[in-house]
Amino acid sequence: MTTASNAVRRGTVLPVRAARGAMWTFVIVNVVIVEALFISAGEGKNGVLTVAKFFGLHAALLMLFQLLLVARLPWLDRRIGMDRLTVWHRWVGFTLLWTILTHATLVVLGYATLDDTSMGKTFVALSGVPASLLGMLAAAVVVVIGAISTRGLRRRLQYEVWHGLHLLLYVALGLAFVHQLQETTTFTSSAFATAYWWILWLFAFGSLLTGRLVMPLWRNSYHRFTVAAVVPESDNVVSVYVTGRHLDKLPARAGQFCIWRFPGHHHWWLANPFSLSAAPDGRGLRLTAKAVGSTSAGLRNVPVGSRAYVEGPYGAFTSLHRSRPGALLIAGGVGITPVRAMLEDQTSGDFVVLYRVRSEADAVLLDEVRHLVALRGGRLHLLTGRTGENAVPPFDPANLHRLVPDITDRDVYVCGPPAMTTAVLGGLRALQVPAHQIHAERFGLA
């Protein structure tokens, strides 16, 4: 467990800016190196194939960046957040798709021009060459994954189906890697080029394996997480208490979330991201979930004493990013769970909590929130009722300013359903709250 701090940062670079700066530096440096290697390696067999090589090199670089974005590197995750890294992964993925298609089209066109034949005959001929066939198969997998990741198709697929198909990208990466080994000339043009390419690939694959496989397995073996208690909070909300060994060494902070699996209760591939609903104390962890799907609905039936598989903690929704003495914590529905944990972490400064629910009966952990707010001298506004029933929407800029007149001088933390989060962020922008003071958590692994 990492001891949290609410110290306000003054005169230092904010963690998120430092992380983004490091990422952009890494990207720019590697793009410049690849450009230099492309120029130094010389032209292809004709102009079209030279351009095809250019796109191929950058497609390979995009693949490496994709691996790093999903490697769940702790330094990046705690400063940028998995939700933002996932958005970047999505856009880089579609850029990769079009880069690969451009590369493949230009390769076929280049050889068709070189051999003075049709692109159809050239495509068939290239498919008979093992190195080219591997590239074609890798491209085909990327196209399929790109198609099912478009919003229209993605919404029609269950997460487990989409995720299983998405894992085929690792197959595509393997095929593309072998394709590069057999086809590329740029990264074998010098000893530096070869060393650079191998180091970059080993770094990317090593980061992925460490973050997604080695570290989770090691932590679960070391901590041996066990279900200590299952406590119904209401008809459709339950809290699960998890204990384990050496939890004081788990680098968890209030506001973060974990990806939880309960072997024996559900299939091992069924996992959900749930926030810690209490600040980590070195002795146990707690999640609180609302029944919105088969996995979360069945949590009240998890046997006490059974093993839990916990991946994480993840997320940048923590006091690490505090830059102002005052804080505004805005939660909607079960989004109160990380906010409630942060209230335990709130030991200095003035803070206000806005809790949006349809009715007081729907307010999860309300008694705990009231107790913590009163204990720390904060203010709580419970915003009830349906949006259409109120004369003024609860997160209208005028209403936000009325509830919190000094809102522009506070750090604002927002966690709730997507529609609510969008409404709040719109209101904050209208009030001209500085972007670096706004911290929003959007759940979802896809």
Side-chain angles (χ1 to χ4, degrees), residues 422-434:
T422 300
V424 173
L425 295 181
L428 296 176
R429 284 192 295 268
L431 291 169
Q432 298 183 339
V433 178

Side-chain angles (χ1 to χ4, degrees), residues 104-369:
T105 302
L106 290 174
V107 166
V108 176
L109 177 61
Y111 277 107
T113 303
L114 193 67
D115 297 335
D116 193 24
T117 187
S118 68
M119 291 183 66
K121 290 182 179 179
T122 302
F123 178 85
V124 173
L126 288 174
S127 66
V129 179
S132 298
L133 180 60
L134 290 173
M136 291 177 181
L137 292 174
V141 173
V142 171
V143 169
V144 170
I145 300 303
I148 66 170
S149 296
T150 56
R151 295 191 184 278
L153 289 177
R154 171 66 189 89
R155 289 170 179 170
R156 297 173 182 269
L157 294 175
Q158 292 184 343
Y159 170 77
E160 290 77 17
V161 174
W162 175 86
H163 185 255
L165 293 173
H166 203 75
L167 291 177
L168 290 174
L169 277 177
Y170 294 117
V171 176
L173 284 170
L175 294 171
F177 179 69
V178 178
H179 168 71
Q180 292 170 48
L181 290 178
Q182 296 184 358
E183 286 282 10
T184 187
T185 57
T186 301
F187 295 112
T188 57
S189 61
S190 68
F192 170 79
T194 302
Y196 163 76
W197 201 235
W198 275 102
I199 289 171
L200 199 58
W201 272 103
L202 289 173
F203 173 66
F205 273 122
S207 298
L208 182 74
L209 290 175
T210 300
R212 300 296 294 268
L213 185 64
V214 176
M215 185 59 70
L217 289 175
W218 180 86
R219 278 187 178 160
N220 280 271
S221 175
Y222 180 67
H223 294 296
R224 297 187 65 83
F225 299 105
T226 305
V227 177
V230 179
V231 179
E233 304 288 354
S234 67
D235 291 342
N236 62 348
V237 177
V238 64
S239 290
V240 179
Y241 293 76
V242 174
T243 188
R245 304 184 306 173
H246 313 299
L247 292 186
D248 57 313
K249 295 180 172 61
L250 182 69
R253 299 178 68 105
Q256 290 189 299
F257 69 94
C258 296
I259 298 174
W260 306 81
R261 291 179 174 86
F262 296 94
H265 172 61
H266 279 297
H267 299 296
W268 64 267
W269 60 84
L270 292 178
N272 283 85
F274 294 122
S275 289
L276 300 174
S277 60
D281 59 5
R283 299 184 300 274
L285 305 172
R286 184 180 79 167
L287 71 91
T288 301
K290 185 176 182 179
V292 294
S294 60
T295 304
S296 56
L299 285 177
R300 63 181 60 237
N301 300 318
V302 173
V304 173
S306 62
R307 287 292 302 274
Y309 184 87
V310 182
E311 186 181 344
Y314 299 121
F317 196 76
T318 70
S319 60
L320 176 68
H321 302 277
R322 285 286 298 277
S323 64
R324 308 297 296 175
L328 170 60
L329 311 175
I330 304 177
V334 78
I336 192 65
T337 52
V339 168
R340 183 258 178 243
M342 292 182 72
L343 290 176
E344 287 186 284
D345 192 28
Q346 191 75 33
T347 57
S348 64
D350 171 42
F351 68 95
V352 179
V353 178
L354 303 184
Y355 188 5
R356 177 77 173 106
V357 287
R358 289 186 177 180
S359 66
E360 186 169 329
D362 296 320
V364 180
L365 305 177
L366 179 58
D367 290 340
E368 295 184 16
V369 171

